[in-house]
Amino acid sequence: FYCDSISTRKKPLFEREQFRILWGQLRKGDHLLITAFDRVCRSLSEMARFTEALIEKGVLLHVLRFSGKELDLTSAQGELMVGILAVSARFEQRMLSERVKETVRYLKAQGLPYHNGAIYGQRRVFSAPDRYGRRRIVKRVDDEDEMALIRQIHTRHSHGETLTSILRDFKRRQEHTAEGNTWSYARVQRAYDWYVKRLAEASEREERA
């Protein structure tokens, strides 16, 4: 089993570490099983290069999401089927991307978290690594130390101190975020904006009550 735990949009197939190891071990007559085409390639040109390379090596391909049966890449029927699967995978990937973007836009408009990154005043708690070294977020817990720093940013900036001066002071005092990272100007700016928005929303709720 070979698995590259990265986004396939960020690195071409033949530049991925685990795939290079796999490719170096494949020999004529070997059977290569893949989950689906969209897990291997994200463009039709890369898919064409991948299938042509398999034909040159004489490797037999099986796609698990397509019954797992052997695809004869050297036959006209097999070539047609690979083309159909490749186009379908590309279509599915594009549709998924559009749905994700729509969801992100909706969550942003509602002021809700739209990613797995840490949100302000909280830190992420992860599970133990799986066989591929990947961890998932189990929960988020409040971090009062970071909240205190965010309130400090708001108070000091509201009284006329620049964010650059506040950041310089944080670095001098060796302050860190809830997850142990050093503060950056962008983080200070976003934390200030987030806290201002949070105060405004709390004020609106009180007025409605």
Side-chain angles (χ1 to χ4, degrees):
F1 293 92
Y2 300 86
C3 177
D4 281 303
S5 56
I6 60 170
S7 171
T8 55
R9 292 174 295 179
K10 294 182 179 179
K11 185 172 289 188
L13 176 63
F14 286 87
E15 293 180 14
R16 299 176 208 160
E17 180 182 357
Q18 289 297 307
F19 184 81
R20 288 203 305 267
I21 296 174
L22 164 66
W23 194 252
Q25 296 181 355
L26 285 173
R27 299 291 182 267
K28 183 176 181 180
D30 285 348
H31 292 253
L32 174 62
L33 281 70
I34 63 174
T35 304
F37 277 114
D38 64 338
R39 296 294 86 201
V40 177
C41 305
R42 288 298 178 96
S43 69
L44 297 179
S45 59
E46 190 172 57
M47 180 61 64
R49 180 188 175 194
F50 172 58
T51 53
E52 288 174 1
L54 289 177
I55 293 173
E56 290 178 3
K57 267 187 176 285
V59 173
L60 306 173
L61 181 66
H62 301 254
V63 184
L64 298 182
R65 288 187 187 171
F66 181 65
S67 76
K69 293 182 179 179
E70 175 188 326
L71 294 174
D72 183 2
L73 302 178
T74 60
S75 69
Q77 183 178 6
E79 186 177 356
L80 173 63
M81 186 58 62
V82 168
I84 293 173
L85 291 176
V87 171
S88 299
R90 178 60 176 167
F91 174 75
E92 180 182 352
Q93 189 271 330
R94 290 289 298 275
M95 290 297 295
L96 177 60
S97 176
E98 291 178 7
R99 289 195 294 269
V100 169
K101 289 178 181 178
E102 290 176 0
T103 302
V104 168
R105 284 195 294 267
Y106 170 78
L107 293 175
K108 279 185 176 181
Q110 299 298 316
L112 299 172
Y114 56 90
H115 53 74
N116 287 331
I119 58 178
Y120 303 106
Q122 290 187 338
R123 59 182 174 83
R124 298 168 295 177
V125 178
F126 294 91
S127 66
D130 62 13
R131 57 187 287 186
Y132 301 114
R134 297 171 300 193
R135 301 184 300 165
R136 61 182 179 84
I137 299 174
V138 177
K139 59 181 179 180
R140 302 173 189 266
V141 297
D142 294 334
D143 189 277
E144 184 54 35
D145 290 338
E146 180 170 287
M147 277 304 303
L149 291 174
I150 293 174
R151 286 192 290 266
Q152 185 181 142
I153 292 170
H154 176 261
T155 301
R156 294 169 64 173
H157 191 53
S158 299
H159 284 80
E161 186 174 356
T162 66
L163 296 178
T164 301
S165 175
I166 297 172
L167 174 61
R168 190 181 300 117
D169 181 50
F170 278 12
K171 289 186 175 181
R172 180 181 60 80
R173 290 156 42 189
Q174 297 184 344
E175 299 287 4
H176 291 83
T177 66
E179 298 197 338
N181 301 317
T182 56
W183 284 86
S184 64
Y185 182 86
R187 176 81 179 183
V188 171
Q189 176 71 68
R190 288 195 297 264
Y192 173 79
D193 294 341
W194 170 81
Y195 194 69
V196 168
K197 183 178 180 180
R198 182 183 180 186
L199 292 177
E201 292 172 348
S203 178
E204 290 179 4
R205 286 194 298 268
E206 289 179 2
E207 290 177 359
R208 288 195 297 267

